[in-house]
Amino acid sequence: MATVHWPEYWNGGRYRTLEQVMRHTAAHLPQAPALIEPSRTTSFGDLDRSTSQAANGLAALGVQPGDRVCYVGPNVRSFFEVIFGASKVGAIPMPLNSRLSVEELTAIIRDAEPVVVFIAPHLAEHGEAFSAIPGVRHVIDWSMLDEWLAQYPATDPGYERLLDDTAMLFYTSGTTGQPKGIELTARNIAVSVAGPMHFIDFAPGSVAYAPVPLFHVAGFGLALMAHLAGAAILLIQVEGTAALRSELIERSVTHAVMVPTVIRDLLNLPGTREIDWSTLRWILYGGAPMPESVLREAAEVIGCDFYQGYGLTETTGGFCLLGPDDHRPNAEAVRRLRSVGRPAPNAEVKIIDVHTGAVLPAGQHGEVCMRGEALMKGYWQRPDLTSQAIDTEGWLHTGDGGEFDDDGYLYLHDRIKDMIVSGGENVYPAEVESALLAHPGVAQVAVVGITSERWGETPVAVVVRAGEGSNAEPTQVSLTDADLAAELVAFTRARLARYKCPSAVYFAGSLPFNANGKLLKHCVREWVSAKANGLTPES
Ligand code: AMP
């Protein structure tokens, strides 16, 4: 078991709630830019006032401490006005992905019963249906927010939440099944922000950018850290990697959060090597495995500090951190580039045997368990699910497979559920994927297990070829007929034990990722199973 307690703490050992962060920065840096939008910059002083207007508006609608307030929309100014406005009256903000279908949104709203729902304009026609959900009293189109806010005074109602009160409700991205509401307390959020604050060199004039959703803990965490440090957050919607690259350079972004697929796409874009990246000081990545080859190339081409976070929404984001120094390893420590770092302050992490529950020593592979102050209060109104996930000693069983090395660095293998058992041997798809990604003909890959009469299960690979168009029709290429497939199998056989090598290779134009950049393995598995059974999959 590894525990690291960094010596210092933030704010003289005091944590701040969301509402206190907003009040504190506005009091100290009222003129500093808080939000930068294409046509408008909002200072911390102005944001403090408009969030107080939102708080008074919500109170006028009858919102009480502990009530939920839902925001469905992208990363725009109203996100902050609603989230911090709700916080200032003690309500529980719950930001949702506006790309969810109306059915998905309805199910979540039914589950959380928010009193007020702020919806994106494209959902206006469903406003009535949302109002009919039990518990919902008001549905407001947030594109009308300025007019709505103007009716209310800008005096802060001054609610002070306790650190152990629920501060936010996030719904998980659900790569494995139904989304669940995750209750995070003010302490959870403060603790998870405290760790990275030690590394981040925010300074006056810093511009933080999260081209990832703010309704996910990683994006929200960056925004909160920027708020705490008095740095500005860039709020720009971009379509495509070329536009993202232009914004990063033209807006002089200094700190960004990205998922590995976006970093890889940036590197694959022609001209990325020729750009002067010196303004970008820091990239935080995480949420999904980062291939070592991409990381090495990013360090060489972009050259900024890299910082990896490994965590779950249930752990309020990263509880293992791989810092900038670990990204500049000497020859001996180079394998650490494959790790997700060491436990963050106040996080205890252990690896257990999935069958016996025994704690495993360094070098042995099992399930990653986490305990600490950043661990969620529980799943919203699901004590049954909470007690399945968190044991009686307070350990969250993450479902991720991993092992520690002797220096306390954690290496993830795979989700326990994704593990393939072939002929009695365990095959970890991430290892096979990593081997295939080293082949220049492979842009993206997913390895899943399918049923095999002979082996029980057998690994198969779904590959997106380098340079492939994203809408190409998937086609299976048999191992004997297709040179590339045969070459890929031979390539893995030269690197991995025979039982780990894919027994079939399918080619696809793209892989299914969710809004947070996570590969939807269950969709890949369904697609491959349908293919293998001679059915025509829908997508
Ligand atoms: P979510 O709660 O949607 O953020 O998903 C959490 C899951 O994302 C974890 O259980 C991991 O499987 C995966 N994940 C998060 N961070 C990393 C990382 N740095 N490397 C690999 N996988 C990660």
Side-chain angles (χ1 to χ4, degrees), residues 171-175 182 216-218 260 285-290 308-315 317-320 339-340 398-401 412 414-415 418 514 516 518:
Y171 274 80
T172 41
S173 49
T175 50
I182 291 171
H216 186 271
V217 277
Y285 64 90
M290 171 65 120
Q308 180 179 187
Y310 156 63
L312 293 76
T313 312
E314 284 86 338
T315 61
F319 63 87
C320 275
S339 89
V340 294
T398 62
D400 291 321
L412 288 187
D414 237 311
R415 291 193 69 79
D418 289 340
N514 73 10
N516 300 326
K518 281 188 216 307

Side-chain angles (χ1 to χ4, degrees), residues 48-209:
D48 189 39
R49 281 184 283 280
S50 62
T51 54
S52 291
Q53 286 177 303
N56 290 319
L58 289 168
L61 295 178
V63 171
Q64 301 281 327
D67 284 346
R68 275 76 56 215
V69 171
C70 178
Y71 174 87
V72 188
N75 300 359
V76 293
R77 181 166 37 95
S78 20
F79 172 93
F80 293 87
E81 287 165 336
V82 171
I83 302 303
F84 285 97
S87 298
K88 282 181 169 182
V89 283
I92 303 170
M94 44 170 292
L96 296 182
N97 183 355
S98 54
R99 290 199 187 148
L100 292 174
S101 69
V102 173
E103 290 71 29
E104 289 168 307
L105 288 171
T106 304
I108 294 174
I109 294 171
R110 229 176 250 289
D111 189 53
E113 300 177 298
V115 173
V116 184
V117 181
F118 291 89
I119 52 167
H122 76 272
L123 292 167
E125 60 178 299
H126 304 287
E128 247 176 68
F130 292 140
S131 324
I133 298 174
V136 176
R137 293 208 292 260
H138 305 275
V139 176
I140 300 173
D141 176 344
W142 58 247
S143 64
M144 316 296 283
L145 206 69
D146 283 348
E147 292 80 15
W148 183 73
L149 292 177
Q151 305 168 52
Y152 300 102
T155 40
D156 191 328
Y159 187 86
E160 292 282 352
R161 182 189 318 261
L162 299 176
L163 277 174
D164 292 317
D165 288 346
T166 302
M168 281 185 95
L169 197 53
F170 282 96
Y171 274 80
T172 41
S173 49
T175 50
T176 52
Q178 277 292 96
K180 292 171 280 199
I182 291 171
E183 259 186 274
L184 299 180
T185 64
R187 186 188 304 279
N188 292 156
I189 296 170
V191 168
S192 76
V193 169
M197 285 303 279
H198 288 278
F199 289 79
I200 304 179
D201 54 344
F202 278 128
S206 290
V207 178
Y209 185 34

Side-chain angles (χ1 to χ4, degrees), residues 125-361:
E125 60 178 299
H126 304 287
E128 247 176 68
F130 292 140
S131 324
I133 298 174
V136 176
R137 293 208 292 260
H138 305 275
V139 176
I140 300 173
D141 176 344
W142 58 247
S143 64
M144 316 296 283
L145 206 69
D146 283 348
E147 292 80 15
W148 183 73
L149 292 177
Q151 305 168 52
Y152 300 102
T155 40
D156 191 328
Y159 187 86
E160 292 282 352
R161 182 189 318 261
L162 299 176
L163 277 174
D164 292 317
D165 288 346
T166 302
M168 281 185 95
L169 197 53
F170 282 96
Y171 274 80
T172 41
S173 49
T175 50
T176 52
Q178 277 292 96
K180 292 171 280 199
I182 291 171
E183 259 186 274
L184 299 180
T185 64
R187 186 188 304 279
N188 292 156
I189 296 170
V191 168
S192 76
V193 169
M197 285 303 279
H198 288 278
F199 289 79
I200 304 179
D201 54 344
F202 278 128
S206 290
V207 178
Y209 185 34
V212 294
L214 293 171
F215 53 74
H216 186 271
V217 277
F220 186 74
L222 179 78
L224 196 60
M225 287 187 275
H227 270 355
L228 246 174
I233 299 157
L234 179 64
L235 296 173
I236 302 254
Q237 316 293 317
V238 292
E239 281 301 327
T241 322
L244 168 68
R245 187 176 68 185
S246 310
E247 294 295 347
L248 287 169
I249 299 299
E250 281 159 27
R251 306 268 178 182
S252 303
V253 171
T254 54
H255 300 75
V257 168
M258 294 186 198
V259 290
T261 44
V262 170
I263 299 177
R264 190 206 53 225
D265 290 351
L266 264 181
L267 294 171
N268 287 343
L269 205 63
T272 291
R273 283 182 168 267
E274 281 71 62
I275 283 178
D276 174 4
W277 287 100
S278 54
T279 313
L280 188 58
R281 293 211 297 271
W282 182 95
I283 293 178
L284 169 70
Y285 64 90
M290 171 65 120
E292 190 187 330
S293 53
V294 176
L295 196 51
R296 281 169 182 268
E297 195 183 340
E300 183 206 329
V301 173
I302 302 176
C304 64
D305 277 351
F306 286 89
Y307 186 93
Q308 180 179 187
Y310 156 63
L312 293 76
T313 312
E314 284 86 338
T315 61
T316 327
F319 63 87
C320 275
L321 312 161
L322 189 73
D325 290 344
D326 292 320
H327 285 84
R328 289 185 282 270
N330 58 29
E332 261 172 46
V334 79
R335 70 197 159 82
R336 283 190 193 149
L337 287 176
R338 292 199 299 273
S339 89
V340 294
R342 287 181 296 172
N346 285 9
E348 285 178 88
V349 184
K350 68 177 181 182
I351 305 293
I352 60 159
D353 181 308
V354 270
H355 303 296
T356 64
V359 179
L360 296 174

Side-chain angles (χ1 to χ4, degrees), residues 440-444 463-469 473 475 477 482 484-485 488 507-509:
V442 176
Q444 292 176 29
V463 165
V464 177
R465 277 180 274 206
E468 190 82 343
E473 186 65 17
T475 49
V477 180
L484 181 54
L488 291 177
F507 291 97

